[in-house]
Amino acid sequence: MSPLAAEQLERGPRPKILVVEDEADIRELIRYNLEREGFSVEEAASGAEALERIKRRAPDLLVLDLMLPGTPGLEVCRLVRAEKATATLPILIVTAKGTEVDRVLGLEMGADDYVVKPFSPRELVARVKALLRRASGRGDAHRAGTWERGRLRIDYDTYQVYVDGERRDLALREFELLRFFVEHPMRVYTREQLLDMVWGRDTFVEPRTVDVHVRRLRQHLERDDAKPELILTVRSVGYRFNPEALD
Ligand code: CA
């Protein structure tokens, strides 16, 4: 067992991962590698089975194949996000369809990260760990409390965001990106810097992922997301958060 696995065991109950994949050998490969790292693994061979298991007891993280019989992975993703109890459940998409369109679609449906088949088990495990670390960061004392300015209120304890008093359901990574912007107003950041600070160096996502998340945040936060005032594009550099637009 790796040192991290041992450390995880000492800290308390093992994080529970639900692996949703119809191909038994791939499911087995993922299970083997996650269990070796000290995770508790459950399996589902279809979207319907996954949704039923999640309803009974939500896992700490979902590894979700896109190509499933019956309910497709993206629909599972959407349904999990739409449910209050699981709105921020970390989701790692596994896809054989490596085209840009599919990747972007996966993130727009609320997935937090993805790997493309054929993936290396090490990469998958690294991403699972990174997502869990970020998710557990929610409980950090220095981040507790609420932040409020004008139209926007962020509750760091419950991970809820309100715009003009109306609750918005943000995916985990969208929330993290918003938090970063709020904590670093008016400064310009490149996509690469945002990737490093919000996604972490141990993930392997493309800079374009930042654009997708910014677009989603704008849809949630801007008065008119075609004319953003809050998250500004700084041409050929990156993005800047202007909290004055909230007043
Ligand atoms: Ca499949």
Side-chain angles (χ1 to χ4, degrees):
M1 191 182 291
S2 76
L4 192 121
E7 182 197 317
Q8 235 151 23
L9 287 178
E10 271 168 31
R11 257 188 290 152
R14 297 185 296 164
K16 193 178 95 175
I17 317 254
L18 178 60
V19 177
V20 190
E21 164 69 78
D22 57 317
E23 286 162 81
D25 50 345
I26 296 179
R27 214 165 56 226
E28 191 49 44
L29 176 77
I30 296 175
R31 170 196 273 276
Y32 172 79
N33 282 280
L34 288 175
E35 282 184 341
R36 205 173 56 167
E37 295 292 329
F39 296 110
S40 159
V41 178
E42 277 193 19
E43 299 176 17
S46 71
E49 191 189 341
L51 290 168
E52 215 183 285
R53 279 182 180 276
I54 293 166
K55 209 171 166 185
R56 249 182 291 148
R57 195 161 83 88
D60 297 301
L61 184 142
L62 195 60
V63 174
L64 180 63
D65 182 38
L66 284 190
M67 299 285 278
L68 294 166
T71 316
L74 283 178
E75 180 64 6
V76 174
C77 192
R78 196 186 66 74
L79 290 168
V80 167
R81 281 285 171 263
E83 199 63 48
K84 234 180 212 166
T86 53
T88 58
L89 174 68
I91 300 177
L92 177 67
I93 292 268
V94 178
T95 173
K97 305 190 299 175
T99 70
E100 184 72 9
V101 172
D102 291 319
R103 295 177 184 193
V104 171
L105 190 58
L107 295 169
E108 287 192 332
M109 293 300 273
D112 295 293
D113 204 354
Y114 62 86
V115 290
V116 178
K117 287 179 185 174
F119 55 88
S120 88
R122 273 184 56 153
E123 183 190 340
L124 182 125
V125 167
R127 292 190 189 209
V128 163
K129 285 179 181 171
L131 279 182
L132 284 172
R133 259 200 304 278
R134 257 188 300 278
S136 70
R138 284 175 229 184
D140 288 2
H142 71 278
R143 285 170 162 180
T146 59
W147 184 92
E148 193 165 2
R149 178 160 177 177
R151 305 158 49 230
L152 178 64
R153 182 156 63 90
I154 304 172
D155 187 330
Y156 289 129
D157 294 319
T158 60
Y159 249 52
Q160 283 171 353
V161 172
Y162 297 86
V163 180
D164 292 323
E166 200 178 299
R167 182 173 155 191
R168 300 300 175 116
D169 290 316
L170 269 56
L172 178 60
R173 207 64 65 87
E174 291 161 17
F175 188 93
E176 299 285 356
L177 181 61
L178 175 60
R179 163 152 54 199
F180 181 84
F181 278 138
V182 162
E183 288 172 354
H184 304 85
M186 303 310 276
R187 280 193 55 186
V188 180
Y189 290 93
T190 65
R191 289 165 181 79
E192 286 76 16
Q193 286 172 328
L194 290 169
L195 274 183
D196 273 357
M197 304 220 240
V198 179
W199 277 256
R201 282 189 177 275
D202 47 355
T203 53
F204 313 83
V205 289
E206 296 155 36
R208 190 161 144 49
T209 303
V210 174
D211 301 335
V212 174
H213 282 71
V214 164
R215 197 160 73 233
R216 295 261 305 173
L217 276 183
R218 281 173 171 162
Q219 284 164 3
H220 282 299
L221 305 174
E222 301 281 1
R223 285 198 179 90
D224 176 0
D225 62 309
K227 293 187 196 119
E229 300 175 311
L230 191 58
I231 303 172
L232 302 169
T233 301
V234 181
R235 200 175 282 269
S236 67
V237 184
Y239 294 106
R240 183 162 72 90
F241 181 71
N242 171 31
E244 286 170 9
L246 292 166
D247 301 336

